[in-house]
Amino acid sequence: MRKNLVVAIDGYSSCGKSTLAKALAKKLGFIYIDSGAMYRAVTLYFIRNHVDINDPEAVKDALQHIELNFHSRDYESHITLNAEEVSEEIRKMPVSEAVSAVSANKFVRKDMVKQQQRMGKSKNIVMDGRDIGTTVFPDAQIKFFMTADPKIRAERRFKEMQSKGDTSTSLEDVFENLAHRDYADTTRAESPLTRADDAVILDNTEITPEEQLEFALKQVKLHFPEEPGANVHQ
């Protein structure tokens, strides 16, 4: 029996990584795992419980009390934090403002990477994040690195937030938040955001979600020619 297949998607915030990952997983019949949601859920727990990110013992203790699980409906990934559905709350600005610091913590990253690697051991998966192709699955069969113009990314994120009822955050706030997260993600000591040498660059500044999916599927077919976008046995 051959090894399971892994598609790793990395890139900057609000580049549409999850949009592509979910669509690709649906086309291939793979499992979609949203690694970013895991860090956001941990961040939400830290906020709620006033965990000092600069206190190693407090962080390690908190991680022992966090149980994360995914469930899927129509290829939409939903996450629970200690059995509570938090998929919408983790996308709000308080979590967005704190998640870079939390995800840069070495104890948090070590714990999350272990969980992510466990998920990829027995299933064909598509996983998106910041270090999937460099740290979590450096041997992934295909890797994508997504990017887009910062202004376009901010506009997309702003529209998404407004569509979900968040009218208290301005476009300027979103742009500044993304700039801060880009800096934090690319300069952190633990698993910084970098492009793997063998990753395919996907700049979606001027293309639609449908066009980027078509591009990604063509790349997948180059790597898995015997399975041209069809469901793969899991």
Side-chain angles (χ1 to χ4, degrees), residues 93 157-166 169 174:
M93 189 55 72
R157 177 68 176 139
F158 178 67
K159 290 178 181 178
E160 178 187 8
M161 294 175 70
Q162 286 204 315
S163 71
K164 294 182 178 179
D166 184 351
T169 304
V174 175

Side-chain angles (χ1 to χ4, degrees), residues 184-216:
D185 288 342
T186 55
T187 60
R188 67 187 179 213
E190 294 293 325
S191 302
L193 170 63
T194 58
R195 181 178 69 85
D197 292 337
D198 54 346
V200 177
I201 297 177
L202 201 173
D203 186 332
N204 65 10
T205 299
E206 297 182 348
I207 63 175
T208 66
E210 292 75 20
E211 289 171 334
Q212 75 175 7
L213 175 59
E214 182 180 356
F215 173 85

